[in-house]
Amino acid sequence: MLLKELAASASPLNEQQVHKLTQVAAELSATQLAWVSGYFYGISQHGGAALAAPAPAAVAAPAGKLTIIYASQTGNAKGVAEELQAAASANGVAVSLFNAADFKVRNLKKETHVLIVASTNGEGEAPDDAIEFHKELKAGKAGKLDGLQYGVIGLGDSSYEFYCQTGKDFDEYLSKAGAKPLLARLDADVDYDAVCQSWIQESVALVKEALKSDAANDVSAAVVPLTAGATSLYNKKHPFTAELLTNQAIVGRDSDRDVRHFEISLEGSDLTYQPGDSLGVWFSNDEQLVDDLLAQTGVAADSKVIVDEQSVTIREALIHSYELTQGYASFVQSYSELTDAPKLRALVDDKAALREYCATHQILDIAREQQGALTAEQLQASLRRLTPRLYSIASSQAEVEEEVHLTVGVVRFEQDGFARSGGASSYLADRLAEGGQVRVFIEHNDNFRLPANDDTPVIMVGPGTGIAPFRAFMQERDARDASGKNWLFFGNPHFTQDFLYQLEWQRFVKSGLLNKISLAFSRDQQEKIYVQHKLREQGAEVYAWLEEGAHFYVCGDANKMAKDVHDALVDIVAEHGNKTIEQATEYVDALRAAKRYQRDVY
């Protein structure tokens, strides 16, 4: 239970005592908190009489402690780091947890044992919260690290060229600085849970052995995970079964896109979120897709396989437990070996072509390259586990209370004459009726937050479904009576068909909450116009807002839009700030380091 909740519970403390206790606790480390806990317990066992503090010589100083650093774009690396922290605490290891954005590279020389969990962003780039940490470590700002032992988990997707690149970089830079690996780096693919759990157990055991201080272990055994904030019983591994309240199309009938507004009830979950967070959605695969895959591979639907130590039919396993709507290199390689498919064998040897192929082919499309005669076990072993999809939350709880809203573009396309659709998006849009149940969890994103100061101006760039978190931003700022200026850049193909939440934005403008709105409807004129063009057109005012202290946010497509917007931002700073490109890049990097330039891209 959080300290701030004590006064409202059956606690014997009054509000003033809770306030004092909160102030003291905020200044203590995890080890100090554990010591104080034991000290207070000792007082309670002696009739309330204060105990003499033990002399320093009587307490064995720990040989060191474990520091965990995470670099996370969507929250996966943070989640693994928190599991690592919990495992260390449970094993009596003194542990501290840091976001890479909050850890200074020069402090690495003060550490004895460091474990890093890092995802990779874009084309081998560090996540936004680790750009400065990555840059300084690469430049050797850490100095000599001969006294440091370390381990690295890299999270990534093997279908991408720069698989786990950030983790590989950290491993290389630490080694060059003289640090010694505690254990081999782990490069973990999309279905990372099982391999990460094994690595966590091994690394914690090695750290515990290396620290070799029973006294330190005794002191820190009571340390709990250091993350703060409201908690719920529900998370990624234990999702909440929620009710779908609303499924509403929010594009015109002649739009070539299918974009839906979903409203989901969180009643009874105690789940809380902030604008900028995401909702994780677990889904089931289309049964027809599963039946077609079984027919293509020659596997009997009632064949039994083991999933999570339970015996189920292969059909049930494919519906609920395995990834079928995304192509991935490991399946191409496995299926090519099982069926001796010549086209697939050739793709395995051409990494660039393989990536392009997987981006446009689902598992059934890959299997259609060669008729199979597989066993259920062979098919199961070729597939990777199903992972939930994350959607930027499009609502503020200050506005919608025990609901969460999503803005989802339903993935639909044709491949070789066959209709295809996205796994989670089509599940929500087509296979889950209003009133139906969906398993969800909150993925917190501390790298995409409104300014704490409500007077701060905000610039939001969110084309397409990237508009979602900015709807939440505006609801939140409205509820808080924030006085800071707000400017939205939004784009989509057509004004009449694709202006998402048009009436709401018009109300925000009319009320004065939204001070400026810049629209880019790319197909409404001969020349295509995108949000980056609108940014450049109004570059002088954009720069003026930045000089006033504005925070700059981008949400949406990472492959093209986010890069074009970034380039536009650098050029704007160079032109209107009378800077060279190098100086403008430093200015933008400083915005990012100060958390004034934040991105939620996918």
Side-chain angles (χ1 to χ4, degrees), residues 27-69:
E27 299 174 358
L28 301 179
S29 70
T31 301
Q32 289 170 326
L33 285 169
W35 186 90
V36 169
S37 175
Y39 178 71
F40 282 159
Y41 177 76
I43 291 176
S44 73
Q45 299 304 299
H46 286 75
L51 301 175
V59 178
K65 67 178 178 65
L66 171 63
T67 292
I68 301 169
I69 302 170

Side-chain angles (χ1 to χ4, degrees), residues 226-243:
L226 306 178
T227 50
T231 59
S232 169
L233 295 172
Y234 303 103
N235 53 41
K236 180 180 178 180
K237 293 186 177 180
H238 304 284
F240 174 66
T241 301
E243 179 185 354

Side-chain angles (χ1 to χ4, degrees), residues 14-304:
N14 60 39
E15 290 188 10
Q16 184 178 11
Q17 290 170 325
V18 169
H19 178 69
K20 289 180 180 179
L21 194 56
T22 303
Q23 287 184 311
V24 172
E27 299 174 358
L28 301 179
S29 70
T31 301
Q32 289 170 326
L33 285 169
W35 186 90
V36 169
S37 175
Y39 178 71
F40 282 159
Y41 177 76
I43 291 176
S44 73
Q45 299 304 299
H46 286 75
L51 301 175
V59 178
K65 67 178 178 65
L66 171 63
T67 292
I68 301 169
I69 302 170
Y70 66 86
S72 187
Q73 191 68 32
T74 64
N76 287 337
K78 180 183 178 183
V80 172
E82 289 172 341
E83 291 183 21
L84 180 53
Q85 176 201 29
S89 294
N91 280 272
V93 175
V95 58
S96 298
L97 177 67
F98 293 92
N99 185 325
D102 301 323
F103 191 93
K104 297 188 181 301
V105 163
R106 64 175 178 269
N107 288 336
L108 283 171
K109 63 180 57 179
K110 302 176 184 178
E111 304 292 338
T112 61
H113 297 81
V114 169
L115 299 177
I116 297 178
V117 186
S119 62
T120 295
N121 188 30
E123 295 181 359
E125 302 162 2
D128 287 352
D129 61 357
I131 289 176
E132 195 68 19
F133 183 88
H134 182 275
K135 181 169 67 174
E136 291 192 358
L137 191 59
K138 181 179 181 180
K141 296 291 182 67
K144 290 293 184 182
L145 300 176
D146 297 341
L148 176 66
Q149 289 186 288
Y150 74 93
V152 176
I153 295 179
L155 300 183
D157 184 336
S158 59
S159 64
Y160 285 88
E161 180 178 3
F162 300 99
Y163 175 53
C164 294
Q165 188 61 50
T166 304
K168 294 174 183 177
D169 288 346
F170 286 150
D171 189 14
E172 176 188 347
Y173 302 156
L174 289 168
S175 179
K176 282 185 177 180
K180 302 297 187 292
L182 188 68
L183 71 171
R185 183 188 75 243
L186 172 65
D187 295 337
D189 210 339
V190 174
D191 49 347
Y192 57 81
D193 280 339
V195 291
C196 282
Q197 286 303 316
S198 297
W199 195 94
I200 285 171
Q201 296 307 315
E202 181 182 0
S203 64
V204 167
L206 290 170
V207 169
K208 184 175 181 178
E209 175 65 23
L211 293 181
K212 290 183 178 177
S213 174
D214 292 338
N217 290 343
D218 288 343
V219 166
S220 63
V223 174
V224 297
L226 306 178
T227 50
T231 59
S232 169
L233 295 172
Y234 303 103
N235 53 41
K236 180 180 178 180
K237 293 186 177 180
H238 304 284
F240 174 66
T241 301
E243 179 185 354
L244 177 65
L245 301 174
T246 300
N247 172 357
Q248 178 184 1
I250 54 173
V251 291
R253 66 180 62 186
D254 294 325
S255 176
D256 60 0
R257 304 183 175 200
D258 184 359
V259 181
R260 305 290 180 95
H261 171 79
F262 296 105
E263 298 179 3
I264 296 170
S265 172
L266 297 180
E267 185 175 358
S269 69
D270 290 327
L271 286 169
T272 61
Y273 60 87
Q274 297 181 55
D277 288 340
S278 296
L279 187 75
V281 176
W282 287 98
F283 64 97
S284 299
N285 287 309
D286 184 358
E287 293 186 14
Q288 186 59 58
L289 179 68
V290 168
D291 291 339
D292 289 347
L293 178 61
L294 291 171
Q296 180 65 28
T297 55
V299 176
D302 58 356
S303 301
K304 291 297 184 75

Side-chain angles (χ1 to χ4, degrees), residues 131-132 135 457 459 539-552 565-598:
I131 289 176
E132 195 68 19
K135 181 169 67 174
I459 301 172
E541 191 169 1
V542 169
Y543 183 71
W545 278 45
L546 293 175
E547 287 292 277
E548 292 173 20
H551 286 215
F552 189 90
V565 167
H566 179 85
D567 292 343
L569 182 60
V570 171
D571 290 344
I572 286 168
V573 171
E575 179 182 354
H576 300 286
N578 295 316
K579 303 178 188 298
T580 64
I581 289 297
E582 290 75 17
Q583 291 171 332
T585 300
E586 291 177 0
Y587 181 101
V588 172
D589 286 346
L591 290 179
R592 186 141 46 185
K595 297 189 176 181
R596 288 179 52 202
Y597 173 23
Q598 300 183 32

Side-chain angles (χ1 to χ4, degrees), residues 398-413:
E399 171 73 18
V400 303
E401 299 180 343
E402 291 187 298
E403 291 182 9
V404 60
H405 297 178
L406 303 179
T407 310
V408 177
V410 185
V411 176
R412 302 189 194 281
F413 62 99

